[in-house]
Amino acid sequence: MLTENLRPSLECILPKERVVVVSNGVDLLSPIDSVTAPVGEVRFLFLSSLIPSKGTLVFLEAFAEAFNVRPSLRATMAGTWPSAELQDEMRGLAERLEVQHVVNFVGPVYGEEKASLFADADAFCLPSYYPLEGQPLVVIEAMAAGLPVIATAWRGIADTVDDEVTGFLIARADAGLLAERMIYLADRPDERQRLGRAGRVRYETSFTQRAFGDRMVKVLAPFLTHSVGSRASSSHKRLR
């Protein structure tokens, strides 16, 4: 089980003592030199599967609301479109909200291109309400990149983002709530840096591949010890 908030999904079918939390771990993306933004610009990044329940519409509506107050804001939306129809719908919404000129839709990204998006951003947003959400790796990657995260307190996300320490958790996928936090961070570069540094520390202590491996070894150690002991006992009996 990836986080404490996800326990109920397994404890309904397994005894509580058999459910163990082992959070995700990811490799650090190759560092990329960021591109200096024009003075005053603040760049928000959304990166996930571009389906509505990941918060795509919420993000776009929130960004438009924040942009109307702070015209220096910019946004990038990256990820795989589930259909051409939804892509057209999102682009159409951007036009109706009159933010098509400040929102960059870049599609799926990998490797250095993905690392560049994180390096160029000032904050990361994921207002997900995806029913099967676990512990999104992209949230961990954002913290590894030193970005403050604004996300919903939804399933495993609530155990990953430390509210007001590494970012902000909003109670639900609501454009108004997200826009409020966007404006707050846009106005406070020192706060963005503080949250981003704390997120990087949280990544290094809890969400690296090594930390994941250490947790797995700890969980599996009793079973490995038992297995080794059983084989040794069997060998002893055969020798006798």
Side-chain angles (χ1 to χ4, degrees):
M1 182 52 56
L2 292 172
T3 79
E4 290 291 339
N5 274 335
L6 300 177
R7 276 184 176 275
S9 62
L10 278 183
E11 288 183 350
C12 63
I13 57 174
L14 290 173
K16 290 184 178 181
E17 62 273 13
R18 294 189 61 188
V19 179
V20 180
V21 172
V22 179
S23 295
N24 271 321
V26 299
D27 286 329
L28 183 64
L29 292 169
S30 300
I32 300 292
D33 291 335
S34 61
V35 176
T36 302
V39 175
E41 272 194 11
V42 179
R43 301 166 292 189
F44 289 91
L45 173 64
F46 178 101
L47 172 58
S48 185
S49 175
L50 296 175
I51 57 177
S53 60
K54 283 288 188 175
T56 51
L57 299 175
V58 174
F59 174 81
L60 194 54
E61 290 170 358
F63 174 77
E65 185 175 332
F67 175 76
N68 288 333
V69 180
R70 299 289 185 271
S72 61
L73 301 190
R74 301 293 182 267
T76 296
M77 299 190 71
T80 302
W81 294 102
S83 68
E85 291 76 16
L86 188 57
Q87 182 177 4
D88 291 342
E89 179 183 342
M90 285 290 294
R91 292 183 182 277
L93 177 60
E95 291 180 4
R96 292 193 299 276
L97 294 171
E98 299 182 347
V99 293
Q100 73 277 8
H101 60 298
V102 288
V103 177
N104 187 21
F105 296 97
V106 299
V109 291
Y110 308 96
E112 289 190 359
E113 187 178 5
K114 184 178 183 181
S116 292
L117 287 186
F118 282 117
D120 293 343
D122 295 296
F124 178 80
C125 300
L126 188 69
S128 174
Y129 55 97
Y130 179 54
L132 300 179
E133 193 70 84
Q135 185 183 39
L137 293 178
V138 69
V139 169
I140 298 175
E141 290 173 335
M143 292 194 301
L147 296 180
V149 175
I150 312 174
T152 39
W154 176 243
R155 295 179 63 78
I157 298 172
D159 293 316
T160 308
V161 177
D162 194 352
D163 190 31
E164 299 188 5
V165 177
T166 66
F168 295 108
L169 293 171
I170 56 176
R172 60 189 181 279
D174 178 86
L177 294 176
L178 180 56
E180 181 181 326
R181 287 307 190 183
M182 284 178 158
I183 294 169
Y184 179 88
L185 285 183
D187 292 343
R188 295 168 175 81
D190 290 345
E191 183 74 347
R192 295 198 303 270
Q193 291 181 10
R194 179 187 72 83
L195 296 168
R197 286 195 299 266
R200 175 56 187 246
V201 170
R202 184 161 168 76
Y203 162 76
E204 291 176 345
T205 57
S206 301
F207 298 121
T208 62
Q209 279 282 10
R210 177 164 188 163
F212 171 78
D214 289 344
R215 287 190 291 268
M216 286 298 297
V217 168
K218 184 176 180 180
V219 169
L220 295 175
F223 302 97
L224 296 173
T225 301
H226 175 74
S227 177
V228 170
S230 297
R231 288 199 299 271
S233 177
S234 298
S235 298
H236 179 68
K237 288 178 181 179
R238 288 197 298 271
L239 289 173
R240 292 193 331 186

